[in-house]
């Protein structure tokens, strides 16, 4: 395993720096806007531009990479990310921050496509599963590290944005100095939304609900905790633990969904997310310990919903279009990311910051009811389920090629 990791160490290091910088920037920008007195609705309106940009970057980024090459594309958009970050720290203006967030979203999607393409190029059929596992651990640990860095400076301090910009541009160094050849470029297909919807409605709505939940959490939970404790260090520790919590149930839930009807696992996850979100809203105000523990249960189950929905979609398609299915399902996830923070912010305006988790709980409860109805009335069980594979919470369609269920570049299936 050490040799395997060492062969792609520069790429994993670049990915860690990128994710850490993104997480630091996202939480710090939310706290900065809250400190400047902006409402939750305005904060959401600015922050969702990142999701819009990410969706566009996932669609159009690969075309740009094919035109100019991986290194040039990565270098150019790392510079864009750095400039946009410094611009947000230098000026307090939602009208400026919104397009800068869109530029950051587009740039981060393109940079992740480059990194994930490079990781795919290192993987072989017999090592794909291990590469994907290490990529997941690398992503979550880097994300948690970025969240903990939020406590190093006050949100209104320009040094917080400078640190994020430094991490983002530092991702250039290991990738530009690597001796590994750049991966080949290729065209990635997509399933049509009509095919996707016909194959599994539960998966389509589940992917959207996953985006709704996690985007609302990432963008608004730092403000919720800052409102409760008025302490940046506590907020940073909370977000770091929440991101680490996303790794807790990936393997157990994946194994469970391989052994029983996947639809029932998705239903159980929806109920667990709804209940844990409601408990955070009720008990989180009473005890910091309960707030941290229940939030880790919440993020741990929420991070499993998208992989379970993707596995269900592959069950319905027989695993024949895995990469194409993931590419289209990610767009459904992105649509949920755009709607979630705005919808929840309206509830926050009505009932206060506890509306963040109450809103998520209500939406997840509605999805659980819909799932139960589909299972009972329409959807059929799949006798020969595909093996479930955990995926990172943030990825592009390119990472689907690393999935051991997908065909290898030489046309052979990977061993599972």
């Amino acid at each position: 395993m050490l040799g395997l990791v060492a062969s792609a160490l520069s790429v994993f290091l670049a990915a860690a720096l990128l994710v850490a910088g993104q997480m630091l920037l996202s939480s710090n920008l939310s706290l900065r806007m809250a400190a400047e007195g902006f409402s939750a609705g305005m904060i959401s309106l600015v922050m969702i531009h990142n999701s819009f940009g990410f969706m566009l970057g996932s669609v159009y980024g690969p075309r740009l990479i094919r035109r100019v090459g991986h290194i040039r594309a990565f270098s150019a958009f790392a510079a864009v990310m750095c400039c946009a970050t410094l611009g947000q720290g230098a000026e307090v203006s939602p009208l400026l921050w919104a397009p800068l967030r869109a530029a950051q979203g587009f740039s981060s999607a393109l940079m992740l496509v480059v990194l994930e393409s490079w990781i795919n190029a290192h993987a072989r059929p017999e090592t794909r599963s291990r590469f994907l596992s290490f990529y997941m651990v690398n992503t979550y640990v880097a994300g948690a590290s970025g969240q903990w860095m939020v406590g190093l400076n006050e949100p209104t301090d320009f040094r917080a944005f400078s640190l994020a910009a430094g991490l983002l541009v530092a991702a250039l160094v290991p990738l530009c100095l690597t001796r590994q050849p750049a991966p080949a470029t290729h065209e990635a297909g997509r399933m049509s939304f009509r095919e996707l919807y016909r194959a599994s409605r539960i998966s389509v709505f589940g992917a959207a609900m996953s985006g709704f939940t996690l985007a609302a959490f990432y963008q608004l939970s730092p403000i919720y905790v800052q409102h409760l404790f008025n302490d940046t260090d506590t907020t940073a520790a909370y977000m770091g633990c929440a991101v680490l919590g996303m790794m807790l149930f990936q393997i157990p839930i994946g194994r469970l969904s391989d052994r029983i009807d996947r639809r029932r696992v998705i239903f159980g996850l929806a109920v667990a997310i709804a209940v844990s979100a409601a408990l955070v809203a009720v008990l989180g105000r009473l005890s910091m310990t309960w707030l941290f523990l229940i939030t880790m249960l919440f993020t741990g189950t929420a991070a499993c919903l998208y992989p379970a929905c993707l596995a269900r979609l592959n069950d319905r398609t027989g695993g024949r279009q895995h990469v194409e299915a993931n590419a289209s399902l990610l767009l459904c996830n992105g649509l949920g990311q755009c709607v979630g923070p705005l919808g929840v912010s309206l509830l926050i305006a009505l009932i206060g910051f506890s509306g963040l988790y109450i809103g998520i709980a209500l939406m997840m409860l509605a999805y659980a009811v819909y799932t139960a109805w589909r299972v009972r009335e329409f959807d059929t069980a799949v006798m020969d389920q595909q093996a479930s594979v955990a995926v990172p919470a943030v990825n592009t369609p390119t990472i689907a090629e690393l999935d051991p269920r997908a065909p290898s570049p030489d046309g052979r299936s990977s061993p599972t």
Side-chain angles (χ1 to χ4, degrees):
M1 174 58 83
L2 290 178
L4 184 71
V5 173
S7 67
L9 184 60
S10 58
V11 184
F12 280 117
L13 180 57
L17 290 168
L18 172 62
V19 172
Q22 285 181 294
M23 290 294 185
L24 168 59
L25 174 62
S26 179
S27 292
N28 195 76
L29 187 59
S30 293
L31 293 173
R32 172 68 183 272
M33 285 191 284
E36 297 290 347
F38 294 113
S39 67
M42 178 60 71
I43 294 171
S44 298
L45 194 59
V46 171
M47 297 295 284
I48 63 169
H49 282 76
N50 184 78
S51 299
F52 285 126
F54 194 92
M55 289 173 62
L56 292 175
S58 296
V59 174
Y60 297 107
R63 303 180 190 178
L64 184 58
I65 293 169
R66 286 193 296 273
R67 288 179 56 190
V68 303
H70 288 78
I71 292 277
R72 287 180 178 177
F74 191 90
S75 301
F77 284 92
V80 171
M81 285 277 281
C82 179
C83 292
T85 302
L86 293 174
Q88 288 168 339
E91 184 67 31
V92 180
S93 171
L95 293 178
L96 173 65
W97 285 344
L100 290 181
R101 283 300 285 168
Q104 288 167 338
F106 187 98
S107 301
S108 65
L110 185 142
M111 292 169 73
L112 282 173
V113 167
V114 170
L115 292 170
E116 292 170 359
S117 297
W118 225 299
I119 293 169
N120 288 333
H122 283 80
R124 297 293 179 267
E126 64 276 9
T127 62
R128 274 176 160 183
S129 183
R130 284 177 288 171
F131 255 103
L132 183 59
S133 299
F134 189 79
Y135 179 75
M136 282 187 58
V137 172
N138 183 62
T139 299
Y140 283 123
V141 171
S145 300
Q147 297 287 6
W148 273 312
M149 291 181 194
V150 172
L152 296 179
N153 299 286
E154 288 300 315
T156 54
D157 193 333
F158 183 74
R159 289 177 295 179
F161 292 90
S162 298
L163 177 58
L167 289 169
L168 294 169
V169 80
L172 273 170
V173 178
L175 192 69
C176 290
L177 295 181
T178 183
R179 298 171 60 185
Q180 299 293 335
T185 58
H186 61 278
E187 187 86 37
R190 281 184 169 81
M191 287 180 66
S192 70
F193 280 107
R194 179 176 295 180
E195 291 178 295
L196 205 67
Y197 188 72
R198 286 178 177 176
S200 177
R201 291 169 173 79
I202 286 177
S203 295
V204 169
F205 289 114
M209 286 305 306
S210 174
F212 180 103
T213 299
L214 291 177
F217 171 79
Y218 275 129
Q219 295 181 20
L220 297 173
S221 60
I223 309 169
Y224 173 77
V225 179
Q226 189 76 1
H227 173 74
L228 286 181
F229 302 105
N230 195 28
D231 181 56
T232 305
D233 290 335
T234 301
T235 303
Y238 172 82
M239 294 300 297
C241 290
V243 173
L244 287 180
M246 292 181 177
M247 294 190 294
L248 289 178
F249 306 117
Q250 295 273 357
I251 293 177
I253 294 296
R255 289 179 176 175
L256 179 66
S257 70
D258 288 340
R259 294 175 181 173
I260 66 174
D261 188 344
R262 192 109 58 199
R263 301 169 302 168
R264 303 188 185 283
V265 173
I266 293 173
F267 169 76
L269 283 172
V271 172
I273 296 167
V275 171
S276 57
L279 288 175
V280 172
V282 174
L283 299 181
R285 293 176 170 274
L286 304 178
S287 164
M288 185 185 298
T289 301
W290 278 113
L291 176 66
F292 276 60
L293 290 177
I294 301 173
T295 298
M296 291 181 75
L297 173 63
F298 165 73
T299 58
T301 51
C304 294
L305 181 60
Y306 181 84
C309 291
L310 177 60
R312 169 64 182 173
L313 180 61
N314 278 289
D315 293 341
R316 298 285 292 175
T317 60
R320 293 183 299 274
Q321 295 176 284
H322 175 72
V323 177
E324 293 84 354
N326 191 22
S328 297
L329 203 63
L330 274 172
L331 290 181
C332 298
N333 184 265
L335 291 173
Q337 291 180 35
C338 297
V339 173
L342 274 180
V344 168
S345 66
L346 295 176
L347 192 57
I348 290 175
L350 291 174
I351 65 174
F353 281 102
S354 60
L356 165 62
Y357 290 102
I358 293 174
I360 291 173
L362 291 174
M363 290 299 295
M364 273 296 170
L365 185 59
Y367 175 64
V369 172
Y370 173 78
T371 301
W373 174 67
R374 288 292 308 180
V375 170
R376 181 175 179 179
E377 301 292 339
F378 297 102
D379 273 21
T380 57
V382 177
M383 302 307 296
D384 186 19
Q385 294 188 150
Q386 304 289 313
S388 176
V389 176
V391 295
V394 179
N395 63 86
T396 70
T398 307
I399 202 62
E401 299 167 24
L402 193 59
D403 192 320
R405 297 169 294 189
S408 61
D410 57 10
R412 294 180 292 119
S413 295
S414 305
T416 56

